[in-house]
Amino acid sequence: ARPGDLAGKRVVVTAGGTREPLDPVRFLGNRSSGKQGAAIAAAAAARGASVTLIAANLETRTPAGCGVVPVSTTAELRAAVLDAAEGADLVVMAAAVADFRPADVSEGKIKKDDSGSGLTLELVRNPDILAELGQRPHAGTTLVGFAAETEPDDERLLELGRDKRRRKGADFLVVNRVGWNDGFAADENRIVVVGPDDAVVDRAHGDKLSVAHRILDAVLADRR
Ligand code: C5P
């Protein structure tokens, strides 16, 4: 972490988790708190970058010194990030983006009936925003993706990260293990950063702000 080493750079960070409405009062969501993404935005701002934080339902405060774009659904996050990523130096996709959304959003609240029968929801795939960014021309923009996986085996976890980086066309992929007790709401994180040639460029463990600085260090070191 070097003060001012991102001066003059434009950084876009997505954080939190998207929510997909089912009806006016319900949604499908995930347990991402947005803490790691918010910490990356704060770290980049502290290092002098001009930061846009695209914030999806954060359960943490937005850091000072960042431009904040609040979003909720995947469609909103997509529109915001495609717009902000244009000409950015660094885009970090830390948000947990819903892979599926309900095929139909009910106009009124979905009711249960008296028969006691269950309810079947039909879901459709959401667009993969990181893959979209990876596929379109992005010379001069470093793309960083995240992989939150429950895979218990370290080697297999790393393989998942490598596959994901290639599949999505990201330059770096930050892998972390999540589970019922790890990752999301916690104040600490343990990560592995996979670089452009599939090598492990860093492993870090600690509070989410120091992990954020280590991710930025890894990305900057590789660009020089
Ligand atoms: O495929 P998976 O969801 O594990 O990929 C995680 C990475 O891809 C994260 O960086 C996340 O922000 C991004 N993502 C996305 N659009 C989706 C799903 C994930 O940009 N629909």
Side-chain angles (χ1 to χ4, degrees):
R2 293 164 290 265
D5 62 356
L6 283 171
K9 302 289 184 196
R10 212 160 67 69
V11 174
V12 178
V13 183
T14 67
T18 60
R19 291 177 180 176
E20 302 298 346
L22 279 160
D23 68 16
V25 297
R26 305 186 181 96
F27 58 83
L28 295 177
N30 62 71
R31 294 179 53 227
S32 177
S33 63
K35 285 180 183 172
Q36 186 62 74
I40 292 166
R47 291 163 77 150
S50 158
V51 181
T52 303
L53 174 62
I54 298 172
N57 311 297
L58 299 197
E59 280 170 23
T60 183
R61 287 171 50 192
T62 54
C66 302
V68 179
V69 182
V71 296
S72 188
T73 64
T74 300
E76 289 166 5
L77 185 138
R78 178 177 173 276
V81 74
L82 292 185
D83 182 47
E86 201 68 55
D89 297 286
L90 175 64
V91 177
V92 183
M93 292 286 294
V97 179
D99 292 319
F100 302 95
R101 67 178 185 280
D104 303 295
V105 180
S106 174
E107 278 291 316
K109 189 180 165 194
I110 298 168
K111 302 286 190 196
K112 54 189 171 296
D113 64 23
D114 293 336
S115 74
S117 60
L119 173 71
T120 302
L121 293 174
E122 190 189 341
L123 305 179
V124 294
R125 279 289 285 270
N126 268 332
D128 190 317
I129 303 160
L130 178 56
E132 210 172 323
L133 287 170
Q135 273 149 25
R136 72 178 196 179
H138 60 275
T141 305
T142 302
L143 267 184
V144 181
F146 269 69
E149 300 285 352
T150 50
E151 170 60 54
D153 181 78
D154 277 337
E155 266 315 301
R156 292 226 295 269
L157 184 72
L158 190 54
E159 262 329 291
L160 287 173
R162 290 185 164 128
D163 287 348
K164 194 157 291 184
R165 190 196 67 74
R166 278 187 242 118
R167 210 168 54 236
K168 304 214 182 202
D171 300 300
F172 294 85
L173 209 292
V174 179
V175 194
N176 69 327
R177 188 176 287 124
V178 294
W180 294 108
N181 301 307
D182 298 320
F184 283 137
D187 290 317
E188 295 215 325
N189 208 1
R190 182 187 297 276
I191 55 121
V192 181
V193 184
V194 176
D197 54 4
D198 269 352
V200 171
V201 292
D202 200 12
R203 292 176 192 270
H205 173 221
D207 65 85
K208 287 184 172 175
L209 188 59
S210 48
V211 166
H213 278 294
R214 290 281 289 272
I215 293 168
L216 294 175
D217 288 344
V219 170
L220 285 173
D222 208 84
R223 291 178 96 217
R224 283 193 202 110

